[in-house]
């Protein structure tokens, strides 16, 4: 018993000594890079992005304290789920243990993750009743269809949007009329003077999380595989997923992108009921009779239903760009918002330069960024 007591005492002393060996370092500045930390207590303050680059054992006997909503820590080579499972235990916010979905948000950042010290009730958008952020103000929460703005209905004249979020503002309470999506992807977005299209005319607001997804995505439906699509999405190191419908959900490692597959399904109630999504893609090959088979006139007529979602909207995905150009010309005349072009690129035998030239031609014609949803170089169909 005496020997056991001595051993126990030695273990306790060793543990206390080990914990005391952490050296406190203060980190501040716009961007700070570090490979890893050993025996450190890292205090991050102010508007600071701390990037930890190691893929394995980034924090050895180390804790990180995030002391501001603007103090972010990036694990550039560790996927979000792994950060949640294994790394977050070493992160603290204002003295409390970091918990995903409670006092921090762990988001996709390219092929890694970022820990953002924003709680579940964080309201990233603030509207003001006067220009230059004067007068009354009101903050708005995530995902909610804010269409009863009370004293702020048709009264907003400036706004501030926190980094890492997206907001859609529209004239009409149902999301129609003139609308615009604002993204604060790399910095805070502050608009001191609204454009004439939105000044004193906003009656609809939706706010979303912004995910920094990489270019590579995965598609999977039930008939392709009975496995959870998360399995293959993770194996392929993809950061976004679609399934030609609206029946899935976003996970820590990837963002789900619903699609209005055709005119009749999935339903708008299903699409509007999704959480933690921010984008929507239009009809799947409406220019093909064996696919969604929708005329340009019908697609334009139905587009206000897309606007009502408040999501960032992608065009119908066509292989016939004449259909696409007619659709975009009609939307422009009606002032309908289309935020990006969705492309199906089944082009065989082209050089990389020819691929680039064809995509650039679509961009130049439409004035929109391009999201390649499907591609194949040389498929016989």
């Amino acid at each position: 018993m005496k020997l056991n007591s001595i051993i126990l005492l030695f273990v306790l002393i060793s543990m206390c000594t080990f914990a005391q060996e952490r050296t406190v370092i203060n980190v501040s500045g716009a961007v700070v890079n570090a490979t890893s930390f050993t025996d450190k207590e890292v205090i991050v303050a102010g508007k600071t992005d701390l990037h930890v680059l190691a893929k394995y054992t980034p924090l050895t006997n180390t804790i990180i304290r995030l002391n501001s909503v603007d103090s972010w820590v990036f694990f550039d080579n560790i996927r979000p789920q792994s950060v949640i499972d294994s790394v977050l235990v070493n992160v603290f916010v204002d003295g409390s243990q970091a918990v995903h979905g409670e006092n921090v948000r762990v988001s996709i950042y390219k092929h890694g993750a970022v820990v953002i010290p924003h709680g579940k009730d964080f309201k990233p958008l603030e509207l003001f009743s006067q220009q230059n952020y004067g007068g009354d103000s009101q903050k708005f929460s995530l995902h909610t269809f804010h269409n009863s703005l009370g004293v702020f209905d048709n009264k907003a004249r400036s706004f501030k949007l926190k980094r890492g979020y997206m907001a859609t503002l529209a004239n009409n309470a149902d999301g129609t009329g003139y609308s615009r999506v604002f993204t604060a992807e790399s910095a805070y977005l502050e608009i001191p003077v609204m454009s004439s299209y939105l000044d004193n005319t906003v009656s609809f607001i939706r706010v979303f999380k912004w995910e920094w997804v990489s270019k590579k995505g995965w598609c999977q439906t039930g008939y392709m595989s009975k496995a959870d699509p998360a399995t293959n999405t993770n194996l392929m190191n993809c950061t976004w997923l679609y399934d030609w419908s609206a029946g899935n959900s976003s996970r820590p490692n990837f963002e789900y992108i619903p699609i209005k597959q055709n005119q009749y399904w999935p339903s708008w109630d299903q699409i509007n009921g999704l959480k933690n999504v921010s984008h929507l893609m239009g009809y799947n090959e409406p220019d093909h009779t064996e696919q969604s088979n929708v005329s340009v006139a019908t697609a334009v007529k139905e587009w206000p239903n897309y606007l009502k979602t408040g999501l960032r909207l992608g065009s119908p995905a066509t292989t016939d760009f004449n259909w696409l150009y007619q659709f975009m010309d009609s939307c422009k005349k009606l002032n309908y918002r289309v935020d990006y072009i969705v492309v199906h690129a089944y082009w065989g035998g082209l050089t990389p330069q020819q691929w680039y030239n064809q995509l650039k031609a679509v961009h130049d014609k439409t004035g929109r960024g391009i999201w390649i949803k499907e591609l194949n170089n040389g498929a016989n169909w």
Side-chain angles (χ1 to χ4, degrees):
M1 291 296 293
K2 186 174 182 181
L3 178 60
N4 289 341
S5 300
I6 293 172
I7 292 173
L8 179 60
L9 179 62
F10 174 77
V11 170
L12 290 173
I13 292 173
S14 297
M15 291 175 63
C16 293
T17 302
F18 186 67
Q20 292 171 355
E21 287 177 351
R22 292 190 183 119
T23 301
V24 176
I25 60 173
N26 292 282
V27 175
S28 62
V31 179
V32 179
N33 294 315
T35 301
S36 61
F37 291 100
T38 299
D39 300 333
K40 298 292 189 296
E41 180 175 345
V42 183
I43 300 175
V44 188
K47 288 185 178 181
T48 301
D49 290 352
L50 172 62
H51 287 260
V52 184
L53 307 178
K55 186 172 184 177
Y56 305 104
T57 60
L59 307 176
T60 302
N61 187 38
T62 292
I63 61 174
I64 295 178
R65 299 189 183 277
L66 305 177
N67 286 355
S68 164
V69 294
D70 300 320
S71 303
W72 294 12
V73 57
F74 298 75
F75 296 95
D76 292 74
N77 295 296
I78 306 176
R79 299 296 293 274
Q81 189 64 63
S82 294
V83 170
I84 294 169
D85 293 341
S86 304
V87 181
L88 212 56
V89 67
N90 298 315
V91 180
F92 293 80
V93 177
D94 293 328
S96 298
Q97 175 72 57
V99 179
H100 174 59
E102 292 295 328
N103 59 354
V104 298
R105 168 190 156 198
V106 180
S107 286
I108 302 160
Y109 185 76
K110 302 179 182 178
H111 285 295
V114 56
V115 180
I116 304 171
H118 295 169
K120 60 183 178 180
D121 298 322
F122 186 74
K123 296 179 179 181
L125 176 68
E126 185 173 15
L127 260 59
F128 298 86
S129 61
Q130 295 181 12
Q131 294 179 342
N132 298 301
Y133 322 117
D136 297 328
S137 67
Q138 183 174 336
K139 293 183 178 180
F140 294 86
S141 57
L142 293 167
H143 300 297
T144 302
F145 286 84
H146 298 286
N147 47 22
S148 297
L149 303 185
V151 296
F152 262 85
D153 188 37
N154 293 318
K155 297 297 183 183
R157 307 207 68 193
S158 58
F159 72 84
K160 295 181 179 181
L161 181 64
K162 296 290 189 180
R163 179 172 63 139
Y165 297 92
M166 181 185 98
T168 302
L169 279 60
N171 294 155
N172 300 330
D174 64 356
T176 61
Y178 178 82
S179 65
R180 184 171 175 183
V181 175
F182 297 89
T183 59
E185 179 181 358
S186 57
Y188 290 95
L189 182 63
E190 298 185 352
I191 304 295
V193 178
M194 293 277 211
S195 73
S196 59
Y197 294 102
L198 293 174
D199 189 33
N200 279 331
T201 66
V202 173
S203 294
F204 172 95
I205 295 169
R206 281 198 83 187
V207 188
F208 306 89
K209 299 174 185 175
W210 182 264
E211 300 284 348
W212 293 264
V213 298
S214 61
K215 291 185 178 181
K216 187 167 60 174
W218 181 259
C219 56
Q220 180 173 318
T221 64
Y223 72 83
M224 293 171 62
S225 172
K226 294 182 179 180
D228 185 337
T231 301
N232 290 329
T233 308
N234 289 329
L235 284 173
M236 294 297 293
N237 286 323
C238 296
T239 57
W240 58 277
L241 166 78
Y242 74 91
D243 60 1
W244 293 281
S245 189
N248 224 297
S249 61
S250 296
R251 320 284 177 88
N253 281 357
F254 59 84
E255 182 175 13
Y256 177 60
I257 312 298
I259 295 174
K260 180 65 173 171
Q261 174 71 6
N262 60 39
Q263 189 178 351
Y264 304 105
W265 64 270
S267 70
W268 289 113
D269 285 344
Q270 185 177 7
I271 291 171
N272 289 326
L274 293 172
K275 298 294 185 183
N276 296 317
V277 300
S278 58
H279 291 65
L280 174 65
M281 291 184 178
Y283 300 123
N284 187 77
E285 296 188 1
D287 51 319
H288 286 257
T289 56
E290 75 278 11
Q291 294 295 326
S292 63
N293 191 26
V294 178
S295 68
V296 171
T298 299
V300 172
K301 182 180 178 181
E302 291 291 322
W303 203 251
N305 287 320
Y306 283 80
L307 297 171
K308 291 176 183 180
T309 68
L311 296 165
R312 192 165 181 252
L313 301 176
S315 72
T318 68
T319 57
D320 178 358
F321 292 125
N322 289 324
W323 191 105
L324 172 69
Y325 296 150
Q326 292 176 48
F327 171 81
M328 291 299 293
D329 287 344
S330 297
C331 286
K332 183 177 181 180
K333 290 177 183 177
L334 294 167
N335 216 2
Y336 287 170
R337 173 173 57 85
V338 183
D339 298 299
Y340 55 97
I341 301 299
V342 183
V343 169
H344 285 187
Y346 290 100
W347 306 332
L350 301 186
T351 66
Q353 185 62 51
Q354 289 170 326
W355 270 76
Y356 172 83
N357 291 343
Q358 290 202 187
L359 292 169
K360 189 174 186 303
V362 176
H363 167 72
D364 291 344
K365 182 77 172 177
T366 61
R368 301 292 190 276
I370 292 174
W371 189 323
I372 302 176
K373 191 179 86 184
E374 298 181 24
L375 67 88
N376 191 302
N377 187 22
N380 61 5
W381 39 269

